[in-house]
């Protein structure tokens, strides 16, 4: 899990709790007591929840309600290349492309060794 980043939360980047619930940043109030300076709406909780500025719900131990930055997902495209012959298993390789079109162009240029092309894969960035 990516640590809570107050500035990113203020910009509207998505948040999640340690136990996987969606969280929405509402406000940062520096004048409040340090345990209540960050205000969020948490999935399945009817009232606002307050946090320390580092995203902790409680002072000492980790808690299921602690805040983290939600993972960002991106789709990339994978081409897998193989070679025939005695050492084929050792010579396989793969390449990742940002767009399906780029993966297909590369596959077309390397058609002899292509095993699969432009396979979409979702990764966290």
């Amino acid at each position: 899990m990516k640590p809570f980043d107050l500035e990113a939360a203020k910009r509207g980047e998505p948040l999640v709790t340690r136990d996987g619930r969606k969280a929405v940043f509402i406000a940062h109030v520096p004048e409040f007591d340090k345990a209540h300076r960050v205000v969020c709406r948490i999935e399945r909780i009817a009232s606002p929840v307050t946090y320390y500025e580092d995203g902790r719900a409680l002072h000492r131990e980790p808690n299921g309600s602690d805040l983290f930055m939600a993972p960002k997902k991106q789709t990339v495209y994978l081409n897998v290349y193989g070679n025939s012959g005695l050492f084929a298993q050792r010579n396989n390789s793969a390449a990742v492309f940002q767009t399906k079109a780029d993966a297909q162009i590369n596959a077309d240029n390397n058609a002899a060794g292509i095993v699969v092309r432009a396979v979409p894969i979702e990764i966290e960035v």
Side-chain angles (χ1 to χ4, degrees):
M1 295 224 196
K2 295 181 183 180
F4 176 72
D5 179 340
L6 179 57
E7 295 306 313
K10 287 179 183 179
R11 290 191 302 269
E13 293 189 29
L15 305 173
V16 66
T17 61
R18 183 182 300 276
D19 59 14
R21 292 173 289 161
K22 291 181 182 178
V24 177
F25 176 82
I26 296 173
H28 174 232
V29 188
E31 299 81 21
F32 284 178
D33 177 77
K34 63 183 176 178
H36 304 285
R37 292 182 181 169
V38 175
V39 183
C40 290
R41 185 182 76 220
I42 306 298
E43 182 179 21
R44 299 189 309 265
I45 297 180
S47 301
V49 179
T50 59
Y51 292 89
Y52 287 86
E53 290 175 315
D54 63 2
R56 288 178 297 134
L58 302 174
H59 176 62
R60 295 178 192 258
E61 67 271 357
N63 181 279
S65 292
D66 291 342
L67 294 174
F68 291 87
M69 303 312 296
K72 295 178 185 175
K73 296 184 180 183
Q74 174 184 357
T75 300
V76 295
Y77 296 87
L78 178 74
N79 286 351
V80 178
Y81 306 91
N83 295 314
S84 59
L86 182 62
F87 299 105
Q89 291 180 350
R90 293 187 198 174
N91 294 327
N92 291 339
S93 62
V96 176
F97 300 89
Q98 297 300 311
T99 69
K100 184 175 183 177
D102 288 344
Q104 289 175 331
I105 289 168
N106 183 275
D108 292 343
N109 292 338
N110 296 289
I114 198 78
V115 176
V116 295
R117 70 178 190 167
V119 177
I121 298 187
E122 194 171 79
I123 60 172
E124 288 185 11
V125 291

